[in-house]
Amino acid sequence: MKLLRYGIKGQEKPAIIDDNGDLRCLSAIISDVNGTVLADKKTMLKLRSLDLTTLALIQSPDRIGACIADVGKFICIGLNYADHAAESGMPIPQEPEVFSKFTSSISGPNDNIIMPRNSHKLDWEVELAIVIGRKASYVSTDEAESYIAGYCVCNDVSERNFQLERGSQWDKGKGCDSFGPLGPYLVTKDEVSDPTKLKMWLEVNGKRYQNGSTNTMIFQPATIVSYLSQFTTLEPGDVISTGTPPGVGLGQQPPIYLEQGDVIELGIESLGTQKQTVVSPK
């Protein structure tokens, strides 16, 4: 299934993509796309058995929201692609590099990216994100996949000056408002045959900078879920962004950073695309 949310920010309604690629409203079936729904086996079975042609058709929604609501934790894995680690001039990690994005950074896949005040090194990162489907604590790698509800596209927007030059904590440069576009939809894992073999790309103003694949991941999704569950209980609806391939602005020679008015387009095979415009702060 491809589940999504549409409408004004804070008032989104749940929807599903039918076999023709059209949006169908799920408001009569579920209140939202969130961890409570993902963890409810009966509800998920009901969604899978629906005759989607009986649901209201949504014609050209004004806005697509983040594909998952009420996210409790937004965890990220850094330097998780061998070719990106090489681009960054850093050794391959022996264990996953873990940091967080504040949940207030979450936005819709096509919402504007707000350049923070005093920002001058705004960067992009196309990433595969995992959405957790049931509570996971101390799970093994072999069983970790059963705790995954699905996957979505994430742009791990980053302010490199805030991240790397203003102390040792990355979170300052990762969690600003609008720095976590998710979606357009959450694709349930049964529709993703192999999350480690997905093409991914990102363009800025029509120029392609990232053109990679999840097959260069160092730590694969099941390993990441198992690893994180040793340190925190993962809850349904939690999001884990799993790292980026090479081609980020910081890695260009010389580095290239986003400016107001720049347009970013990105996507992952089978998971859809995003498009954002960089705007000035309020």
Side-chain angles (χ1 to χ4, degrees):
M1 295 183 291
K2 292 182 175 68
L3 303 173
L4 69 155
R5 303 167 65 246
Y6 70 98
I8 299 170
K9 189 171 185 177
Q11 300 178 35
E12 293 93 343
K13 296 179 181 180
I16 190 169
I17 304 291
D18 68 18
D19 292 340
N20 295 319
D22 295 321
L23 275 64
R24 300 280 180 169
C25 184
L26 285 174
S27 292
I29 312 298
I30 57 175
S31 61
D32 210 338
V33 181
N34 55 28
T36 300
V37 167
L38 297 178
D40 189 325
K41 291 183 179 179
K42 289 183 178 180
T43 298
M44 294 301 287
L45 286 172
K46 183 176 182 179
L47 291 177
R48 288 189 171 92
S49 65
L50 287 172
D51 179 357
L52 300 185
T53 63
T54 66
L55 302 177
L57 185 64
I58 309 301
Q59 300 282 4
S60 302
D62 292 336
R63 175 182 177 271
I64 300 296
C67 60
I68 181 74
D70 307 323
V71 176
K73 291 187 284 295
F74 192 176
I75 305 172
C76 299
I77 306 299
L79 299 173
N80 193 34
Y81 283 67
D83 39 9
H84 175 54
E87 170 188 58
S88 302
M90 302 182 74
I92 292 176
Q94 298 303 302
E95 296 188 34
E97 295 282 350
V98 180
F99 63 94
S100 295
K101 294 175 85 78
F102 306 122
T103 56
S104 55
S105 71
I106 293 173
S107 58
N110 304 316
D111 290 350
N112 291 334
I113 291 174
I114 303 168
M115 178 177 283
R117 295 179 183 177
N118 304 311
S119 167
H120 57 275
K121 293 185 178 181
L122 190 63
D123 206 347
W124 58 81
E125 296 187 12
V126 59
E127 304 202 359
L128 172 72
I130 300 165
V131 180
I132 297 297
R134 60 191 182 104
K135 186 177 292 188
S137 179
Y138 297 106
V139 302
S140 69
T141 301
D142 289 342
E143 63 183 343
E145 186 179 347
S146 68
Y147 292 82
I148 296 173
Y151 302 92
C152 66
V153 180
C154 174
N155 186 358
D156 177 18
V157 183
S158 309
E159 213 300 336
R160 302 302 188 188
N161 172 252
F162 297 178
Q163 175 192 356
L164 302 172
E165 301 172 33
R166 299 187 63 178
S168 62
Q169 301 303 310
W170 283 16
D171 296 3
K172 294 191 295 290
K174 294 287 190 172
C176 301
D177 293 350
S178 78
F179 274 25
L182 296 176
Y185 27 71
L186 187 167
V187 182
T188 52
K189 65 181 178 183
D190 56 293
E191 292 197 10
V192 182
S193 58
D194 189 345
T196 68
K197 294 182 180 179
L198 300 176
K199 295 178 182 178
M200 52 204 311
W201 57 272
L202 183 145
E203 298 177 351
V204 179
N205 299 328
K207 180 178 179 178
R208 183 157 297 196
Y209 285 94
Q210 293 190 273
N211 195 23
S213 170
T214 57
N215 66 12
T216 64
M217 275 186 173
I218 299 165
F219 304 104
Q220 298 181 356
T223 301
I224 291 168
V225 170
S226 174
Y227 182 83
L228 292 175
S229 78
Q230 311 304 310
F231 304 100
T232 184
T233 297
L234 299 171
E235 300 283 353
D238 284 352
V239 174
I240 306 166
S241 202
T242 60
T244 196
V248 299
L250 178 64
Q252 306 302 310
Q253 298 295 330
I256 296 172
Y257 297 112
L258 295 166
E259 299 180 356
Q260 292 178 29
D262 284 348
V263 176
I264 308 164
E265 297 181 77
L266 60 147
I268 299 178
E269 181 182 0
S270 302
L271 303 183
T273 62
Q274 301 183 354
K275 183 176 181 178
Q276 300 115 21
T277 300
V278 179
V279 299
S280 60
K282 297 179 180 179

